[in-house]
Amino acid sequence: MVDVYVDEKFVGGVDNAKEFVKAVKEERRKNKLPQSINVVYDPDFNEVIINTITGRARRPLIIVDNGVPRLAEEHIKKLQSREINWDWLVREGIIEYLDAAEEEDAYVALNDKYLTKEHTHLEISPVTILGLITSLVPYANFGQSSRLNRGSKTQKQSLGLYASNFLLRIDTDVSLLHYPQKPIVKSFMHDVLNYEKHPSGHNITIAVMSCDGYNMEDAIILNKGSVERGLARSSYYRPYVVEELRYQGGLVDEIGVPDKDVKGYKSEDDYKFLEDDGIVYPEAKLKENDVVIGKTSPPRFLGELEEFSIAANMRRESSLTVKQGEHGTVDFIAVTENEEGNKLIQVRLRDLRIPEIGDKFASRHGQKGVIGRIVPQADMPFTASGITPDLIFSPHSLPSRMTISHLIEIIGGKVGSLAGRHIDGSTFSAESEADLRKTLLEMGFRENGTERMYNGITGEEFSANIFVGNMYYMKLKHMVANKLHARASGRIQLLTRQPIEGRSKGGGLRLGEMEKDCFVAHGASLLLKERFDSDKTVVYVCEGCGMLAVYDTMKGKAYCTKCGANIEVSPVELSYAFKLLLDELKAIGIYPKMQLKSKY
Amino acid sequence: MAVDDDLLKQYKGRIPEPLLKTFREYADEVGLSKANQKKAIEKIEGRYLNSKIHPGEAIGIVTAESFGEPGTQMTLRTFHFAGVAEANVTLGLPRLIEIFDARKDISTPIMEIYLKKQPKDEKELEKLIALIKEIKFSEVLAEITINIAKMIIEVKLNRKRMKDLEIRDDPLLKALRTTLKTVDILDKDDLLIMKPKVKELTLPGLYAIKERIKEVHVKGIEGIKQVLPVKRNEELILISSGTNLKKVIEIEEVDASKTTSNDIFEIAKVLGIEAARNGIVREVSKVLHDQGLEIDDRHIMFVSDLMTTTGTVKGVTRSGITGEKESVLARASFETPIVHLINASMVGEIDKLNSVVENVLINQPIPLGTGLPGLVTKMKGEKEDEQ
């Protein structure tokens, strides 16, 4: 007797589990049982599990009987003439969906070539081993699998046309690529996904060579001419949102140009972009800390004190300003109302982003890198026919990563752009490399894609043949303009007196524990002290009780609160964090006594 | 030309002996002239002094970094050897942590047993393995049942297995009787009847005894679960899972000078602390070598020395050498700060602020490198005082 569970509930037992499972499957295939159930016999636990619940990941497979797939030639013909459809195939028991549990019981052939009598299912197409995005990688079967993962991951980060109604949308942190192009080398998935309606890259000319060391460690060199012609330009959008909040007691925020008597009034200059309604005018060029939306709020603490205070009715300035380190042009303004009925102002800032050193680019093969240098077109290496590449890619990025697909795409792109046609790079069914080479040869180029090239500065011929071609390159959303950060002095934390953290707040860059170890290892004792001086303080220590004393600036004299004024008190320089530690020790009942000794 | 003995005598104590010895050999071989000998040995001394560690060099941090950086590249996986040739061994980072923490129970105790003479044939080898491999009582019994009515345990022996393992009745009974002193054992034909001598016997008590009976050591060496013959450099050695160094090296056929265990504590117990120190060096180098990492031996030796310098093996943990730091602040900044601070406050410990961590904490120059040397000078005032 084998226990049977339906959706993890015990329902009874069967004598012959295997026969039972087979029968259930047959009934399902005959469409007598719902298609959404899956059944499996688990020999380890000796139980039959039937699942009907939602949320199982299932995938369709062609059923195979004795090595013959149920999907026959006639079905395909009928499918092509639209006599039958997918649902029909499922209904007729030709295709069925398996979940993870039932898959354990199945033996799936990837291709009809490999079908044997033992197989129970056939994959609809071998490309189903790849996901939607991964299928966009051309010549994927020529690449290393982990690079495919990375390739699809970088494609998700690429800039393009993210939504066709972008003009009306207010999204946080989005970019729009100018003049995106559809790829020359594409796969079937590009057609399936209508990729040409929302492409996300450019077809560019690429040379695989090192160049003055500016493209080592995955860096890339860009042609300044190409950049000036508009390569990889994008617009960066960021919304600034202000809500007119309502507070207790009928007080409200007020959007408008603040009056001069408002607490915290900036200066007239800061409000110069605001119109009478307190909102910036469209196409205003804003710099950091400029006011986007003027707003005043009621005083923070409302209480009995109000009656006595003269400044009681002082409103607070609470305008929204452009974030630190950012700038942009006012692109779009929406004045609406939110769910609570409060006035809502949304201002969208646009910023033109021209490729600069540090911006990240990637091909579709997991080969990503940042710009190391932008070279004037006159200094770029050129081919015998006078072509200068848009991008120079380092050959050192290739051997260890084994992204052969990257190289084939270059040849494919070259053939495609010379012949004026698209190249099919679909996984397992792509136009073969041999054909590409042949076409290239027929068009009067070297079949391996290399060309003689000349140094752009000296005009000397390079002794090596350089691999030049065309490929699809994407600009990724990581741009230096959003990441660049440095600071000398600035805001500090209240508790520890150490610099605050984070770029948006203008925080410091932490010299962490391991970096400290490095200073120690070099014996750079005093340099280390200086680096950690950010929270140094001078405290007065009572030499009697060894605790902190008080310095009276009025009298210019220090005294100890415990031992009185007639005791020696010395100034000591130490980190504020240590002073804090001493305070915390006192708080848990430990008496930290300092014994002072002259250092010299 | 002979080597100038006067010259060598002059440099004795200034250069290490082995270096002098090598110099003598080479000088002999090449036939250096006296003048050149002097020049050469001066150069050797220069090189030697140059390679010595300078005062104020942060060797501790450098060692830690030398382990830390390659450690980040180490994979966490343990190797799985296919087949029976070698058992699964903990390697990589987990093993390294195990060694440095000086764990008492290591995850895969292993011994490499070298033999004095290579066994002639398989039979001899099997005999030797049978001598080493531990056999527990549970392996030779066919059935073990609790008779609840009589409150006894009945054991049926597996005669065939016993014959295979060459275990006779008498030694078996003797082993059982010596280990289980509180149990009466009756040999009744094919059945062994065991009756505990405890006054008030409960069923759980009986059950516990049954489990103990199964664990009784019958033959071989205790703790050795498996023994596998392995060819290493044309030499047949035995690799055992489970260690018992003391008993194994007592076996006559075993070459005690080469046989090792990977259990540092056992090495320390059986062979002494110096052997344990070398054991740490060997085990750590093995792990690093397997991962294809290159760390200077001196770093490994340094850590090993620190771990064994007290005479017992101590780990780099808060209960080991790190917990023995002089400074309260240094200990507190490692692990369990409150415990250290409270314990220190109860005995009124004084932190002299002599080391690195404390000085980083209070933002003072660390006593290393450029922060180490002090200035010795006489102040003007002092001079007058003296007069």
Side-chain angles (χ1 to χ4, degrees):
Chain A
M1 206 66 166
V2 180
D3 292 350
V4 179
Y5 295 84
V6 173
D7 290 342
E8 293 169 14
K9 254 190 210 126
F10 176 70
V11 291
V14 288
D15 288 324
N16 192 333
K18 282 186 181 160
E19 282 299 317
F20 173 71
V21 168
K22 208 174 152 192
V24 172
K25 280 184 189 169
E26 277 313 314
E27 291 299 291
R28 182 184 64 200
R29 286 169 187 178
K30 282 181 195 148
N31 215 16
K32 283 182 183 156
L33 279 172
Q35 287 293 337
S36 60
I37 71 162
N38 284 107
V39 59
V40 68
Y41 168 62
D42 185 343
D44 292 335
F45 289 93
N46 195 31
E47 54 193 32
V48 171
I49 298 157
I50 300 175
N51 275 318
T52 69
I53 46 169
T54 54
R56 287 168 294 140
R58 303 162 82 229
R59 64 197 200 94
L61 291 167
I62 299 167
I63 302 166
V64 172
D65 303 309
N66 282 325
V68 182
R70 286 196 185 175
L71 186 78
E73 203 59 45
E74 49 172 325
H75 296 124
I76 294 168
K77 269 189 195 136
K78 278 185 183 169
L79 273 172
Q80 278 163 342
S81 60
R82 303 204 176 234
E83 269 176 70
I84 56 170
N85 58 11
W86 179 269
D87 288 340
W88 188 88
L89 290 174
V90 177
R91 217 164 38 233
E92 291 299 307
I94 290 166
I95 283 169
E96 68 179 350
Y97 285 86
L98 299 191
D99 71 353
E102 197 175 327
E103 224 175 22
E104 291 294 314
D105 221 14
Y107 185 34
V108 185
L110 183 65
N111 205 318
D112 48 5
K113 263 193 297 196
Y114 308 128
L115 266 178
T116 65
K117 286 222 160 131
E118 282 83 56
H119 281 103
T120 61
H121 294 87
L122 172 66
E123 206 76 64
I124 289 167
S125 163
V127 293
T128 51
I129 63 169
L130 301 180
L132 291 185
I133 312 290
T134 316
S135 305
L136 294 174
V137 178
Y139 293 97
N141 47 327
F142 291 87
Q144 199 194 352
S145 63
S146 67
R147 287 286 144 193
L148 281 184
N149 282 322
R150 268 167 260 209
S152 45
K153 219 173 143 187
T154 46
Q155 287 203 69
K156 291 176 204 165
Q157 299 173 9
S158 64
L159 304 184
L161 190 70
Y162 74 99
S164 47
N165 62 342
F166 67 91
L167 280 173
L168 300 167
R169 294 170 65 106
I170 305 233
D171 301 284
T172 23
D173 196 34
V174 290
S175 290
L176 204 70
L177 188 70
H178 296 186
Y179 308 110
Q181 297 172 354
K182 53 182 176 177
I184 292 172
V185 181
K186 59 183 192 178
S187 78
F188 75 100
M189 194 52 84
H190 286 90
D191 297 326
V192 173
L193 295 179
N194 262 330
Y195 195 79
E196 60 185 66
K197 298 282 185 196
H198 53 91
S200 56
H202 296 292
N203 293 296
I204 57 161
T205 308
I206 169 173
V208 181
M209 61 184 287
S210 52
C211 188
D212 292 346
Y214 284 97
N215 61 352
M216 52 185 175
E217 293 289 335
D218 276 345
I220 51 169
I221 296 169
L222 233 53
N223 186 334
K224 199 173 180 197
S226 312
V227 172
E228 280 163 359
R229 273 175 241 124
L231 174 74
R233 265 173 207 234
S234 59
S235 291
Y236 178 75
Y237 294 102
R238 182 188 289 285
Y240 285 84
V241 183
V242 155
E243 191 185 343
E244 221 177 43
L245 281 172
R246 287 167 206 280
Y247 301 92
Q248 281 176 337
L251 294 161
V252 283
D253 280 342
E254 214 171 80
I255 291 170
V257 183
D259 283 336
K260 279 184 182 163
D261 59 353
V262 162
K263 197 172 149 194
Y265 186 80
K266 292 173 195 279
S267 77
E268 215 161 318
D269 197 48
D270 287 314
Y271 302 106
K272 67 182 172 196
F273 294 110
L274 301 189
E275 292 192 326
D276 292 343
D277 59 358
I279 309 169
V280 276
Y281 57 86
E283 297 304 317
K285 307 254 182 304
L286 299 182
K287 293 191 302 300
E288 65 176 340
N289 296 326
D290 279 343
V291 175
V292 184
I293 300 155
K295 193 182 76 172
T296 56
S297 299
R300 205 165 289 178
F301 305 106
L302 277 178
E304 294 92 61
L305 274 172
E306 197 182 345
E307 304 159 32
F308 309 105
S309 166
I310 313 161
N313 280 326
M314 279 276 274
R315 290 183 68 83
R316 265 180 317 120
E317 135 81 82
S318 59
S319 301
L320 186 67
T321 55
V322 175
K323 274 190 161 189
Q324 209 153 52
E326 286 196 15
H327 51 88
T329 313
V330 178
D331 188 61
F332 179 69
I333 297 163
V335 181
T336 49
E337 219 173 52
N338 68 1
E339 295 93 331
E340 284 117 56
N342 295 336
K343 194 177 178 187
L344 188 74
I345 315 287
Q346 290 173 305
V347 175
R348 190 173 69 199
L349 243 59
R350 151 171 51 84
D351 186 22
L352 177 66
R353 293 285 166 84
I354 300 166
E356 58 180 320
I357 289 173
D359 281 357
K360 197 172 175 184
F361 285 77
S363 76
R364 289 175 289 177
H365 312 272
Q367 288 282 13
K368 52 182 192 274
V370 294
I371 302 177
R373 193 181 174 199
I374 297 177
V375 181
Q377 181 158 7
D379 293 343
M380 282 296 268
F382 54 90
T383 66
S385 53
I387 299 284
T388 53
D390 298 306
L391 188 144
I392 297 175
F393 178 82
S394 171
H396 300 286
S397 309
L398 287 162
S400 60
R401 283 156 207 179
M402 300 181 277
T403 50
I404 305 306
S405 49
H406 187 96
L407 296 172
I408 300 177
E409 197 198 328
I410 294 177
I411 296 189
K414 196 168 183 176
V415 171
S417 41
L418 287 167
R421 63 182 172 96
H422 284 292
I423 304 291
D424 182 20
S426 302
T427 314
F428 299 118
S429 60
E431 203 171 324
S432 77
E433 187 201 339
D435 286 351
L436 293 175
R437 282 171 177 257
K438 220 177 102 193
T439 332
L440 206 56
L441 195 65
E442 279 164 9
M443 284 184 292
F445 286 84
R446 243 188 233 108
E447 55 108 36
N448 60 10
T450 60
E451 282 177 45
R452 295 308 292 175
M453 280 188 95
Y454 300 85
N455 186 321
I457 299 167
T458 62
E460 285 169 286
E461 190 178 357
F462 291 127
S463 51
N465 288 331
I466 308 292
F467 188 48
V468 193
N470 294 73
M471 77 183 308
Y472 197 62
Y473 244 80
M474 301 170 296
K475 185 185 189 184
L476 304 187
K477 66 180 179 188
H478 309 283
M479 285 170 282
V480 260
N482 294 330
K483 306 203 169 180
L484 190 75
H485 176 51
R487 100 162 205 182
S489 57
R491 285 166 63 188
I492 53 165
Q493 274 166 11
L494 192 68
L495 186 70
T496 59
R497 296 203 186 165
Q498 284 169 2
I500 53 161
E501 211 180 308
R503 183 182 111 100
S504 56
K505 287 170 272 180
L509 294 161
R510 182 179 202 86
L511 184 101
E513 187 169 350
M514 291 174 92
E515 289 76 15
K516 174 216 79 182
D517 288 347
C518 194
F519 277 74
V520 176
H522 278 85
S525 173
L526 296 154
L527 179 61
L528 177 65
K529 181 190 177 299
E530 207 169 282
R531 262 287 345 212
F532 280 154
D533 268 352
S534 62
D535 66 338
K536 83 165 173 197
T537 34
V538 173
V539 292
Y540 289 87
V541 177
C542 165
E543 300 216 21
C545 63
M547 287 209 278
L548 298 189
V550 182
Y551 184 72
D552 189 338
T553 23
M554 297 270 270
K555 290 180 188 155
K557 209 173 162 253
Y559 64 95
C560 175
T561 45
K562 181 167 168 279
C563 312
N566 293 324
I567 193 104
E568 192 154 354
V569 172
S570 315
V572 175
E573 186 192 290
L574 40 75
S575 64
Y576 191 81
F578 184 65
K579 192 234 152 203
L580 183 69
L581 175 72
L582 296 180
D583 291 342
E584 283 180 357
L585 288 180
K586 283 173 215 159
I588 58 168
I590 294 173
Y591 169 25
K593 184 176 178 179
M594 280 186 272
Q595 291 178 347
L596 300 187
K597 194 175 81 186
S598 181
K599 244 166 128 187
Y600 308 106
Chain B
M1 189 173 280
V3 180
D4 190 350
D5 280 323
D6 284 345
L7 190 71
L8 288 181
K9 214 173 264 172
Q10 214 182 316
Y11 276 90
K12 205 174 174 182
R14 283 161 71 181
I15 308 177
E17 282 298 328
L19 214 59
L20 273 181
K21 209 181 141 205
T22 335
F23 170 71
R24 177 194 280 273
E25 280 163 18
Y26 272 95
D28 251 353
E29 199 180 304
V30 181
L32 282 179
S33 70
K34 267 194 184 171
N36 279 340
Q37 275 177 28
K38 199 167 184 298
K39 262 190 205 164
I41 207 154
E42 269 168 13
K43 260 215 164 124
I44 290 171
E45 194 191 20
R47 282 279 183 95
Y48 171 67
L49 292 176
N50 228 348
S51 48
K52 273 175 120 179
I53 290 168
H54 299 269
E57 183 84 47
I59 50 167
I61 286 272
V62 171
T63 298
E65 286 186 341
S66 304
F67 278 108
E69 198 277 331
T72 59
Q73 298 168 32
M74 256 199 256
T75 43
L76 279 163
R77 77 198 158 117
T78 48
F79 270 105
H80 293 280
F81 292 95
V84 258
E86 242 162 296
N88 291 338
V89 188
T90 313
L91 278 174
L93 209 57
R95 174 69 182 142
L96 206 62
I97 292 168
E98 199 171 81
I99 300 168
F100 285 148
D101 282 359
R103 299 252 172 87
K104 282 247 161 68
D105 292 304
I106 57 174
S107 53
T108 46
I110 276 177
M111 284 182 73
E112 281 181 11
I113 304 165
Y114 285 80
L115 305 171
K116 277 182 191 154
K117 262 192 290 176
Q118 292 287 300
K120 274 184 234 106
D121 49 21
E122 263 183 43
K123 226 172 186 177
E124 207 179 304
L125 183 69
E126 264 170 36
K127 225 171 158 184
L128 197 61
I129 290 174
L131 212 59
I132 298 170
K133 196 187 161 191
E134 180 184 20
I135 290 158
K136 284 178 180 163
F137 190 49
S138 60
E139 279 180 63
V140 291
L141 48 85
E143 211 180 314
I144 182 161
T145 45
I146 297 178
N147 190 330
I148 305 172
K150 292 181 191 160
M151 290 300 263
I152 51 165
I153 299 163
E154 292 166 346
V155 179
K156 210 171 164 188
L157 293 170
N158 186 343
R159 294 284 170 196
K160 196 177 165 284
R161 182 98 179 110
M162 279 173 72
K163 208 178 161 193
D164 285 349
L165 296 167
E166 290 182 17
I167 299 168
R168 252 162 274 139
D169 282 18
D170 291 346
L172 178 68
L173 282 172
K174 206 182 152 200
L176 284 169
R177 286 200 175 110
T178 43
T179 329
L180 306 161
K181 288 207 172 95
T182 55
V183 181
D184 273 332
I185 298 167
L186 277 164
D187 189 4
K188 213 172 168 188
D189 302 333
D190 219 18
L191 226 56
L192 288 180
I193 293 170
M194 309 200 173
K195 194 174 162 56
K197 281 187 257 184
V198 192
K199 269 180 202 159
E200 275 175 47
L201 191 65
T202 55
L203 203 58
L206 195 66
Y207 190 79
I209 289 167
K210 180 193 153 197
E211 290 304 305
R212 255 178 63 210
I213 290 169
K214 283 195 332 202
E215 290 296 304
V216 170
H217 165 77
V218 179
K219 204 188 168 197
I221 293 170
E222 262 174 272
I224 310 261
K225 287 187 213 95
Q226 188 64 262
V227 181
L228 295 165
V230 168
K231 254 225 151 84
R232 187 159 295 172
N233 305 330
E234 295 300 302
E235 192 186 349
L236 193 77
I237 64 161
L238 300 177
I239 290 195
S240 75
S241 95
T243 70
N244 194 334
L245 195 59
K246 194 169 176 228
K247 288 271 170 64
V248 169
I249 57 177
E250 278 170 3
I251 296 173
E252 207 185 316
E253 288 91 336
V254 169
D255 185 351
S257 64
K258 281 181 177 170
T259 298
T260 56
S261 164
N262 71 343
D263 186 338
I264 306 297
F265 277 96
E266 197 173 60
I267 298 175
K269 212 169 83 193
V270 179
L271 300 172
I273 197 70
E274 277 298 326
R277 182 258 186 196
N278 287 332
I280 296 172
V281 175
R282 192 191 61 231
E283 287 298 318
V284 172
S285 330
K286 207 156 77 187
V287 172
L288 297 170
H289 184 79
D290 284 342
Q291 296 276 328
L293 301 172
E294 208 67 56
I295 296 180
D296 197 299
D297 282 346
R298 268 155 280 226
H299 293 311
I300 305 169
M301 289 180 198
F302 180 48
V303 179
S304 313
D305 285 341
L306 273 179
M307 285 172 69
T308 51
T309 190
T310 53
T312 49
V313 181
K314 280 187 172 152
V316 191
T317 55
R318 63 171 181 269
S319 52
I321 53 176
T322 317
E324 282 168 8
K325 281 190 181 178
E326 195 199 327
S327 160
V328 194
L329 293 174
R331 268 180 283 137
S333 61
F334 180 60
E335 269 169 15
T336 56
I338 296 182
V339 173
H340 280 121
L341 290 171
I342 289 177
N343 288 343
S345 76
M346 284 198 291
V347 294
E349 250 183 74
I350 295 169
D351 196 320
K352 294 252 169 73
L353 305 176
N354 283 333
S355 188
V356 177
V357 190
E358 310 91 278
N359 282 296
V360 172
L361 197 74
I362 61 165
N363 195 22
Q364 290 295 321
I366 50 167
L368 270 181
T370 53
L372 187 65
L375 197 59
V376 182
T377 180
K378 275 192 178 161
M379 307 296 266
K380 234 180 183 176
E382 275 179 58
K383 218 172 186 178
E384 281 162 15
D385 284 347
E386 274 169 38
Q387 290 167 350

